[in-house]
């Protein structure tokens, strides 16, 4: 059975004191929630501190927002899987903002996915078509490229986040029909063991509708995840709704 998940991507937000307060508030609020896995991905500079705060209760996992594919060496400014693995369980790979602003292409994304798996991290692989008029097959192509050389028996060790780029940071989620169509196509690629998340302007208004769909295992939350009250409400709703509906087999 795949686990229902809620993942927070803080992006390049939070100064030290904000990160401390946000992580502590989330940890305390999530402690009584059962039945979902919550993951917080802070900026890499706060990974250690946030991980220490969250580990005190042990319920919320930590993820990095990015990593380089080499294990060590002369790569100024980068962080390696070996640096992350003692602190975090997850790493977001191929986020559309990395692809757009840092020129990450499908080859680099694939290298990162393979490196994450090799070093014991669970990659959260982001795929999504660029424009509202682009076909979902663009996202599927990204996914197939990201999974190149990854044996099928490792698909249980990855998470896929479907994030149509045109819906990210726009305040408006994609239509349910569109999301479900994409989920079904992604499921055909990864099989039954991989959690598939939706991301793109997820907020408290439509979280229950998203959670009711058995095709959607979880959500990747950007802007709404740096507001403690919104993020906590999203987790509570996901847990409450999924505990009745479960995830699709
Ligand atoms: C994201 O950063 O992956 C994301 C989905 O952002 P937002 O929720 O702000 O659209």
């Amino acid at each position: 059975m795949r686990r229902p998940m809620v993942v927070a991507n803080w992006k390049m937000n939070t100064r030290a004191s904000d990160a401390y307060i946000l992580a502590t508030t989330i940890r305390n609020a999530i402690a009584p929630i059962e039945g979902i896995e919550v993951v917080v991905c802070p900026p890499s500079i706060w990974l250690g501190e946030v991980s220490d705060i969250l580990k005190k209760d042990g319920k919320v996992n930590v993820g990095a927002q990015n990593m380089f594919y080499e294990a060590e060496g002369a790569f100024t400014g980068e962080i390696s899987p070996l640096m992350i693995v003692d602190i975090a369980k997850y790493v977001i790979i191929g986020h559309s903002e990395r692809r757009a602003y840092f020129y990450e292409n499908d080859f680099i994304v694939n290298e990162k996915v393979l490196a994450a798996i090799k070093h014991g991290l669970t990659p959260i692989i982001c795929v999504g078509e660029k424009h509202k008029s682009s076909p979902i097959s663009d996202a599927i192509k990204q996914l197939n490229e990201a999974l190149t050389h990854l044996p099928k028996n490792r698909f249980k060790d990855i998470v896929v986040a479907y994030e149509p780029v045109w819906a990210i940071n726009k305040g408006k989620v994609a239509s349910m029909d569109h999301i479900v169509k994409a989920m079904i196509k992604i499921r055909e690629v990864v099989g039954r063991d991989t959690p598939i998340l939706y991301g793109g302007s997820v907020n408290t208004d439509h979280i229950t509708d998203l959670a009711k769909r058995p095709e959607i295992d979880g959500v990747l939350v950007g802007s709404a995840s740096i507001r403690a009250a919104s993020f906590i409400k999203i987790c509570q709703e996901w847990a409450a709704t999924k505990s009745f509906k479960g995830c699709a087999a």
Side-chain angles (χ1 to χ4, degrees):
M1 185 78 172
R2 298 183 303 275
R3 56 205 181 279
M5 296 179 75
V6 178
V7 180
N9 175 13
W10 291 1
K11 310 195 186 199
M12 198 179 71
N13 294 298
T14 64
R15 296 178 70 169
S17 59
D18 306 324
Y20 178 87
I21 293 167
L22 190 53
T24 307
T25 311
I26 289 171
R27 178 197 66 195
N28 294 343
I30 299 304
I33 299 180
E34 299 290 343
I36 60 167
E37 181 174 3
V38 178
V39 181
V40 168
C41 303
S44 52
I45 193 166
W46 311 137
L47 263 177
E49 270 123 326
V50 166
S51 161
D52 285 347
I53 293 167
L54 296 177
K55 267 183 198 152
K56 277 191 189 135
D57 181 73
K59 262 259 184 79
V60 180
N61 277 312
V62 184
Q65 294 178 17
N66 178 40
M67 60 167 223
F68 192 45
Y69 50 75
E70 295 290 351
E72 58 192 349
F75 303 104
T76 302
E78 290 293 331
I79 59 169
S80 94
L82 291 182
M83 295 168 187
I84 299 170
V85 76
D86 293 331
I87 305 174
K89 180 175 175 197
Y90 291 92
V91 57
I92 297 174
I93 298 211
H95 192 280
S96 60
E97 288 151 17
R98 301 281 328 159
R99 294 180 194 254
Y101 304 133
F102 303 98
Y103 308 104
E104 286 194 11
N105 57 28
D106 289 336
F107 172 80
I108 294 172
V109 170
N110 175 236
E111 290 286 318
K112 290 185 174 190
V113 168
L114 296 175
I117 295 281
K118 178 176 170 191
H119 294 289
L121 288 160
T122 301
I124 300 172
I125 305 167
C126 297
V127 297
E129 74 279 5
K130 221 174 187 169
H131 307 288
K132 205 166 182 180
S133 56
S134 313
I136 293 173
S137 57
D138 287 2
I140 302 302
K141 182 174 175 297
Q142 285 180 336
L143 179 60
N144 280 314
E145 301 272 355
L147 299 178
T148 306
H149 303 308
L150 185 69
K152 281 201 164 57
N153 67 2
R154 301 309 301 267
F155 285 9
K156 62 179 183 345
D157 303 321
I158 63 169
V159 173
V160 174
Y162 170 64
E163 300 206 301
V165 180
W166 48 271
I168 294 181
N169 226 344
K170 299 285 185 299
K172 203 169 183 312
V173 286
S175 74
M176 195 61 80
D177 257 16
H178 184 92
I179 298 171
V180 168
K181 232 178 247 165
M183 295 282 147
I184 291 170
K185 286 190 190 307
I186 291 171
R187 180 67 59 211
E188 284 167 10
V189 175
V190 294
R192 52 185 299 166
D193 296 331
T194 305
I196 308 176
L197 320 181
Y198 167 77
S201 301
V202 170
N203 66 40
T204 49
D205 293 344
H206 39 251
I207 193 65
T208 310
D209 289 339
L210 289 166
K212 277 182 187 158
R213 295 302 312 211
E215 299 87 353
I216 309 173
D217 298 322
V219 280
L220 176 48
V221 188
S223 328
S225 76
I226 51 170
R227 296 188 297 272
S230 306
F231 185 68
I232 291 161
K233 177 102 194 295
I234 286 169
C235 294
Q236 287 167 338
E237 287 292 319
W238 205 260
T241 310
K242 282 298 182 194
S243 68
F244 293 110
K245 297 283 165 202
C247 290

